[in-house]
Amino acid sequence: MRWLVTGAGGMLGHDTVQELAGRGEDVTGLDRAALDITEPGAVRDAFDAHRPDVVVNCAAWTAVDDAETDEARALRVNGDGPRLLARACAARGARLIHVSTDYVFSGETRATPYPEDHPPAPRTAYGRTKLAGERAVLEELPGAAVVLRTAWLYGAHGRNFVRTMLELEARRDTVDVVDDQRGQPTWSADVAARVAALGATSAHGVLHATSSGEASWYELAREVFRLAGADPDRVRPTDSRSFPRPAPRPAYSALGHARWREAGLAPPRDWRSALYEALPHIRKEMSQ
């Protein structure tokens, strides 16, 4: 199969290209400079040049707070762009794996993971624009599109929470981290492996690509410190009021994984085992 990965300059896009290439797949990765998914002509030219069988859309507006004041631009990238990709896939008989987010849910008054079919109720502009993208690809490409929701991503490439904690551990005596937001820390390389595995299936619809288990940001930070050989008690708990943001963060955004078995694949592994494996890769990248 020929694979085309959009948003290849980002953390997940980079890891997806690397994962597919490592499996011997014919893969092309295009960053935003090479392909602006909001431009119909650019999308058409990319499809003509690369003739993909599977498209993985990692391109997105991910500036959650900025979307609150510029929702129209965020919608162009997160909603209109995926629709253009889906239409191009439909015209050429290609499949589409579209990456989405936990922000399509409200993140309020819940204590168990959201199943894949739970009604979305975004509270932020970012969440609304990502939900628009989900609906667009499922409308344009029924039966041949996968919406892959993920969350709390970290990895070796690009800025992310785990990398920030490692940097702060080396510079500060203590670090204050919120303990009133719970989710699923997820290694981007694990999501990339999920994407690659989906290529051999006929799966379609919504799947959740997050690690199993759950933690608060505070608990994640303590585990990062522990694995780095530092005292976890140097991480101090606080609450979200200490870090006010334009866009409210979900208090609870763990996602359920029931549909993986339907696709013939095992559910994702626990976040702690993934973090243990990921940390050496992140530290190696930071040292270069």
Side-chain angles (χ1 to χ4, degrees):
M1 292 188 297
R2 292 183 297 271
W3 294 72
L4 176 64
V5 180
T6 68
M11 180 170 58
L12 180 57
H14 177 281
D15 284 357
T16 300
V17 171
Q18 193 171 57
E19 175 70 26
L20 290 166
R23 296 184 180 214
E25 296 284 357
D26 180 353
V27 57
T28 299
L30 300 178
D31 61 13
R32 188 180 185 281
L35 174 59
D36 181 347
I37 66 167
T38 69
E39 295 295 334
V43 171
R44 181 177 58 251
D45 290 347
F47 274 70
D48 288 344
H50 302 292
R51 296 174 292 116
D53 300 301
V54 185
V55 177
V56 184
N57 181 35
C58 297
W61 174 300
T62 56
V64 174
D65 292 322
D66 291 346
E68 291 298 309
T69 55
D70 205 348
E71 187 167 350
R73 284 182 64 197
L75 180 61
R76 191 164 178 242
V77 179
N78 291 342
D80 299 343
R83 187 178 293 279
L84 286 175
L85 290 175
R87 286 178 176 172
C89 286
R92 292 161 175 81
R95 296 178 63 202
L96 175 61
I97 300 173
H98 172 67
V99 179
S100 192
T101 175
D102 59 323
Y103 275 75
V104 300
F105 298 120
S106 71
E108 295 181 301
T109 63
R110 191 171 181 86
T112 56
Y114 286 95
E116 292 87 346
D117 60 355
H118 191 85
R123 298 173 60 217
T124 64
Y126 170 68
R128 290 190 292 272
T129 63
K130 290 297 289 183
L131 179 59
E134 288 189 7
R135 289 173 171 167
V137 301
L138 293 174
E139 289 170 5
E140 299 287 345
L141 207 58
V146 172
V147 169
L148 203 64
R149 293 180 184 141
T150 191
W152 287 39
L153 282 181
Y154 65 86
H157 306 279
R159 303 299 306 173
N160 57 81
F161 181 84
V162 170
R163 184 165 179 153
T164 297
M165 289 301 106
L166 289 170
E167 292 170 349
L168 293 178
E169 186 279 321
R171 299 202 314 260
R172 295 187 186 177
D173 292 335
T174 60
V175 180
D176 294 340
V177 180
V178 296
D179 196 27
D180 58 354
Q181 298 171 22
R182 296 190 67 78
Q184 293 159 314
T186 302
W187 188 17
S188 54
D190 275 358
V191 180
R194 292 265 149 186
V195 169
L198 284 170
T201 75
S202 58
H204 60 276
V206 178
L207 289 98
H208 289 164
T210 52
S211 290
S212 297
E214 60 183 64
S216 69
W217 291 114
Y218 165 72
E219 291 166 340
L220 171 56
R222 284 180 59 88
E223 188 67 3
V224 171
F225 271 53
R226 187 186 71 80
L227 291 175
D231 182 2
D233 289 339
R234 289 169 54 198
V235 182
R236 305 183 307 188
T238 186
D239 59 36
S240 299
R241 292 173 297 179
S242 302
F243 297 95
R245 303 279 187 84
R249 269 45 179 179
Y252 185 87
S253 61
L255 305 179
H257 304 121
R259 291 209 62 212
W260 284 106
R261 293 201 184 280
E262 296 175 22
L265 299 169
R269 61 174 165 172
D270 183 77
W271 70 268
R272 289 180 179 83
S273 65
L275 181 64
Y276 177 82
E277 185 178 337
L279 220 58
H281 297 275
I282 298 172
R283 298 182 82 173
K284 179 180 178 181
E285 183 68 22
M286 290 173 64
S287 68
Q288 294 177 350

